[in-house]
Amino acid sequence: MHIVVFSGAGISAESGIRTFRDADGLWEGHRVEDVASPQAWLRNKNLVLDFYNQRRLNLLQSQPNAAHLALAELESEYQVSVITQNVDDLHERAGSTKVIHLHGELMYARSTGNPTFRQRLDNGLLHADMHCPEGFPLRPDIVWFGEAVPMMDTAISIATKADVFIITGTSLEVYPAAGLVNFTPHDCGIWLVDPNRHQELSKQGIRCIAKPAGIGIPEAIAEIKKRYSTGGRHS
Ligand code: NAD
C-alpha cells in the first residue's frame, strides 16, 4: 500500500515553528510579499537574508515532533511518500526517506546564475557576500510566492499513485500545491488532520480529524491500519 502525506506549516507548529496564516496573515511579523517574493529580494536583499537567517537559526534549535516521527515510522510497514510545502527539514530528521519539498529547503542556498548549484548552510547563515564557484551571488533555496514550482509535476505523479492520502497542517490556500488532492485516484482514502478544519471537506468524503498533528496523525494512522487490514480500500 502506498501512503502519500501532504504536509504544511501546521505539522511543525508543535516543534516551535510558527505557521503564518495563524498569525493574522503575517509570517513572524512580516507580510509575505516583503520577505518571500522575488520583488522583495530585488528591493531589500538584507531584509530577506536576515529573515531566512532567523528562520534557519530557529530550525536548528527545533526537533521533529510526534507527528513527524509517526509518519517516519510508517515506512517500516508501507511505501510512504511525503510531499511537503514546508521548507524545514523535520520530516527528514524524523527519519522519512522520500520527501519532496514543493517550496524549497531552508537549510540550502542556491546560485542566482547556475541553476544546478546548491550549498548546505550548516551554521544557518547566508550573507550577501557569499557566491557560487562561478561568482554568482547565492540566494535562499526557497520557491518564493510568484515563482514556478519545479517539483509540482513530480508531486502530481506521486499523488496519482496514492492508495491513502493524508493532508495535515495546511490551509490549502497556496496554489498550485493546494490542488494536489485533486490528482488522487477516485478510490483513494483521504484523511485530513488539522485542529481548525474542515466541515466542508468532510462532506466530500474526506475523513477529518480536528486535532493538532501530534495527536491527530497517530490517530489517523491507527484508523488507516484498521481499515486496510480488514479488507482493503472499500471496507
Ligand atoms: P498556513 O500557515 O497557511 O496554514 C497552517 C495550517 O496549519 C492551518 O490550516 C492551521 O489550522 C493548521 N495548524 C495549526 N496548528 C496545527 C497543528 N498543531 N497541527 C496541525 N495543523 C495545524 O500553512 P501552509 O498551508 O503550509 O502555507 C504556508 C506556506 O508558508 C507554505 O508554502 C510554506 O512553504 C511556508 N511556511 C513554511 C513553514 C515551515 O517550513 N515550517 C512555516 C511557515 C510557513
Side-chain angles (χ1 to χ4, degrees):
M1 183 166 78
H2 184 202
I3 299 179
V4 177
V5 179
F6 178 50
S7 66
I11 194 174
S12 298
E14 290 158 89
S15 295
I17 299 176
R18 290 172 58 185
T19 68
F20 74 88
R21 286 205 171 63
D22 291 328
D24 298 330
L26 295 181
W27 192 359
E28 300 285 349
H30 296 278
R31 296 186 315 154
V32 286
E33 52 271 43
D34 291 339
V35 289
S37 70
Q39 294 77 10
W41 178 245
L42 292 175
R43 214 166 33 230
N44 193 342
K45 274 193 179 57
N46 284 329
L47 175 69
V48 174
L49 288 169
D50 189 48
F51 174 77
Y52 284 104
N53 285 341
Q54 290 302 325
R55 303 284 71 71
R56 249 177 251 115
L57 295 177
N58 180 217
L59 175 57
L60 285 169
Q61 291 174 359
S62 304
Q63 300 300 330
N65 64 50
H68 300 105
L69 293 167
L71 292 171
E73 169 62 25
L74 266 185
E75 286 190 20
S76 64
E77 288 181 69
Y78 304 102
Q79 181 192 350
V80 183
S81 305
V82 177
I83 301 168
T84 188
Q85 297 168 91
N86 292 347
V87 296
D88 68 52
D89 59 359
L90 296 179
H91 281 297
E92 288 93 337
R93 279 161 56 192
S96 287
T97 59
K98 293 193 190 100
V99 184
I100 302 275
H101 286 270
L102 286 177
H103 295 157
E105 290 183 75
L106 191 52
M107 289 310 296
Y108 285 83
R110 71 174 141 96
S111 168
T112 50
N114 172 358
T116 63
F117 183 85
R118 291 206 320 157
Q119 178 176 318
R120 200 178 149 84
L121 301 165
D122 283 319
N123 73 358
L125 298 176
L126 175 60
H127 297 299
D129 61 359
M130 288 166 66
H131 296 80
C132 73
E134 288 109 313
F136 297 108
L138 295 180
R139 58 164 271 182
D141 185 20
I142 301 290
V143 176
W144 283 323
F145 287 89
E147 293 187 315
V149 181
M151 294 307 288
M152 196 59 203
D153 286 346
T154 306
I156 289 172
S157 159
I158 292 169
T160 62
K161 299 181 194 93
D163 296 305
V164 168
F165 195 77
I166 305 175
I167 306 167
T168 187
T170 173
S171 57
L172 295 171
E173 286 188 27
V174 181
Y175 279 84
L180 202 57
V181 65
N182 299 323
F183 293 91
T184 56
H186 69 93
D187 58 350
C188 176
I190 303 177
W191 271 256
L192 182 138
V193 177
D194 191 309
N196 303 312
R197 295 177 69 99
H198 292 281
Q199 290 311 319
E200 74 275 17
L201 288 173
S202 59
K203 286 192 197 121
Q204 299 165 22
I206 297 178
R207 166 78 176 109
C208 293
I209 298 179
K211 294 184 181 171
I215 301 171
I217 287 290
E219 210 171 294
I221 289 172
E223 286 184 11
I224 290 162
K225 287 186 176 179
K226 196 167 164 208
R227 180 181 303 184
Y228 289 86
S229 68
T230 56
R233 285 180 170 179
H234 302 289
S235 63

